[in-house]
Amino acid sequence: MSIVRKLFDVYEVNDASLNAGGKEYHLNEYISGFRMHATVPWHTIDHMFIPVHVKEKHHWVLSVISFNHRCIYIYDSLSAAGHDAMVLSEIEKLAEVIPICLIVCNFYENKGIDIDNHHNYKLNDKMDPFGVSVVENVPQQPSGSLDCGLYMVTYAECLTFGKGVPSVDFDPDLFRIRYGSLLWNYGTRKAEAEVQSDDEAPMKPVREIELTEGTEVHDI
């Protein structure tokens, strides 16, 4: 979300020329798969998980972008009147920025979504913010705990490998032990193989560079 905040600081939200301010300020590099460690362009998937830090609340929530539904779903382990409004304020920034970046990156052409005829797109302008929906009846963290990050990761795991987040509460201590064990095992195997994380990353997508009439080409 720090990238999204920078976008709001540098650009007007209805400015489609997001490339003007330098690649560190926009999401286009991530959408195209150039900066993500897994190098997965967004048009090759149906959902994108984005952890969101609500700075004012020192709290983490999971946002899930559904491209087919044209909606961002919020999975939050804490619910309260003032808290919910703060979370929505952060997600709404994302909902405004994402459509602009998708257009700039030719996402819909690459994804094969006909926004003029798709039932979830045709009633909206292409620059309209995505819908935002708070998912209800998800497990909640104990009052006074700082387990929001643990719950967020667990939500993501449930959505990745299951049919959804169960409505029943789970024991955060058991999940903390489980994730700690998985990370320890992963780190041990990496140390034994003498590899770095970058060694595991697939090749980056090939950039397409357009040469215009004013482009100078130099032999090296």
Side-chain angles (χ1 to χ4, degrees):
M1 284 299 292
S2 62
I3 297 175
V4 174
R5 292 192 188 97
K6 288 179 181 178
L7 265 175
F8 272 75
D9 291 339
V10 176
Y11 307 100
E12 294 182 4
V13 78
N14 60 354
D15 183 2
S17 58
L18 296 177
N19 289 307
K23 292 174 181 175
E24 68 271 25
Y25 289 115
H26 56 75
L27 298 174
N28 299 352
E29 291 280 283
Y30 291 88
I31 293 174
S32 300
F34 293 126
R35 289 187 180 235
M36 292 176 63
H37 189 67
T39 63
V40 179
W42 288 18
H43 69 268
T44 63
I45 57 177
D46 293 325
H47 300 85
M48 172 58 65
F49 295 177
I50 299 181
V52 176
H53 183 228
V54 185
K55 186 176 180 180
E56 292 78 5
K57 292 292 184 178
H58 305 287
H59 183 70
W60 287 92
V61 301
L62 177 66
S63 64
V64 180
I65 303 175
S66 172
F67 300 116
N68 287 327
H69 294 173
R70 202 182 186 280
C71 184
I72 300 178
Y73 295 98
I74 306 173
Y75 292 81
D76 189 359
S77 61
L78 186 63
S79 181
H83 169 86
D84 293 347
M86 194 75 71
V87 170
L88 282 172
S89 176
E90 286 296 304
I91 302 300
E92 285 169 355
K93 295 177 184 178
L94 189 63
E96 290 189 55
V97 168
I98 289 298
I100 301 172
C101 293
L102 295 182
I103 293 294
V104 173
C105 293
N106 298 318
F107 168 84
Y108 297 114
E109 292 84 349
N110 294 329
K111 182 68 173 170
I113 294 179
D114 183 356
I115 60 177
D116 293 325
N117 295 301
H118 192 287
H119 60 281
N120 288 326
Y121 283 85
K122 63 183 181 181
L123 298 181
N124 297 278
D125 183 82
K126 63 182 180 181
M127 292 297 186
D128 284 349
F130 268 36
V132 176
S133 176
V134 178
V135 179
E136 299 180 348
N137 299 320
V138 295
Q140 298 288 284
Q141 66 189 76
S143 177
S145 77
L146 300 176
D147 289 332
C148 54
L150 177 68
Y151 276 73
M152 181 189 69
V153 171
T154 305
Y155 295 156
E157 183 179 16
C158 291
L159 292 168
T160 300
F161 298 106
K163 295 182 178 180
V165 178
S167 58
V168 296
D169 287 333
F170 51 74
D171 187 342
D173 290 333
L174 292 179
F175 277 89
R176 192 177 290 107
I177 293 171
R178 177 174 178 270
Y179 288 134
S181 299
L182 289 172
L183 290 171
W184 179 85
N185 180 61
Y186 175 65
T188 300
R189 289 189 289 109
K190 283 181 62 176
E192 292 174 348
E194 297 182 349
V195 298
Q196 302 293 325
S197 294
D198 288 344
D199 297 332
E200 303 168 336
M203 294 291 291
K204 297 287 185 182
V206 177
R207 292 180 183 271
E208 295 182 1
I209 302 176
E210 296 184 1
L211 299 180
T212 62
E213 185 176 346
T215 302
E216 294 185 9
V217 180
H218 301 274
D219 292 329
I220 298 177

